[in-house]
Amino acid sequence: KKGAYILANDIKLPIVPLTINGSFEVLPATKKINFVKRHQLTLTIHKPIPYDETKDLATLIEESRQVIEQGLFKD
């Protein structure tokens, strides 16, 4: 969501990307079920992206998206 990026940019804080692996196995979006399956989840906390006043909002969002995608398990 853009709000987190706007807030971090306004108060000059770094962005810390997070990757959650395994959430699809816990609650698949393709099935109509009323319960979750037990499955291991992995949370990866990536290196912070430092505040840089020269970067616009779209650049920050894209940079963090790339970091998060690199952290996803590839099957």
Side-chain angles (χ1 to χ4, degrees), residues 12-69:
K12 299 177 173 80
L13 289 176
I15 301 290
V16 181
L18 304 174
T19 302
I20 302 173
N21 283 306
S23 61
F24 185 78
E25 287 79 9
V26 171
L27 186 62
T30 57
K31 292 185 178 180
K32 294 182 180 180
I33 57 174
N34 295 333
F35 58 92
V36 295
K37 282 177 36 180
R38 177 171 265 210
H39 191 274
Q40 180 178 353
L41 292 175
T42 305
L43 174 65
T44 305
I45 303 171
H46 300 281
K47 291 182 181 178
I49 300 171
Y51 169 76
D52 184 355
E53 63 185 28
T54 62
K55 290 183 183 176
D56 64 345
L57 196 60
T59 304
L60 268 177
I61 292 171
E62 184 56 33
E63 188 176 338
S64 64
R65 186 178 308 236
Q66 289 175 358
V67 170
I68 291 167
E69 285 179 2

